[in-house]
Amino acid sequence: MSRCPYCDSELPGFETLCQKCFEAQYDRLKHPKPWWSRPTPRLRRTTLYVFLSAFAYCYVVFRYDFPYCHRRHMIAAKTSSLIAFAVASILAYMESTSEDSR
């Protein structure tokens, strides 16, 4: 017999989801949480580490094109720092609002 992946109850036949879990998921899709009750970003040490490491990595990758490492393939420092800041900000925001990091 198969089991429900959420509540681990036994299911008859070839079903993959029990009725209780199906209704809970359907209700969540039908009535999503409003934006003001969603998780808010929190500044923690891990968020800072994610931001700094992502910024440094992206800056180096965009500034010095490693396969070539020639002067003619370098992007301007201002452009590469803006791209690195945008990427690092997105990654830090995603890490700060994740449910499992709390």
Side-chain angles (χ1 to χ4, degrees), residues 24 26 63:
Y26 181 75
R63 179 72 172 133

Side-chain angles (χ1 to χ4, degrees), residues 15-59:
E15 293 181 14
T16 57
L17 196 62
C18 69
Q19 187 67 26
K20 181 181 67 170
C21 294
F22 174 76
E23 289 173 359
Q25 287 183 357
Y26 181 75
D27 189 46
R28 208 172 345 155
L29 287 174
K30 193 173 179 183
H31 305 290
K33 290 182 181 179
W35 63 270
W36 58 83
S37 67
R38 292 186 182 149
T40 55
R42 298 202 177 2
L43 184 59
R44 293 185 302 270
R45 188 178 301 162
T46 56
T47 306
L48 183 64
Y49 291 155
V50 166
F51 178 80
L52 291 176
S53 60
F55 180 81
Y57 177 77
C58 290
Y59 181 79

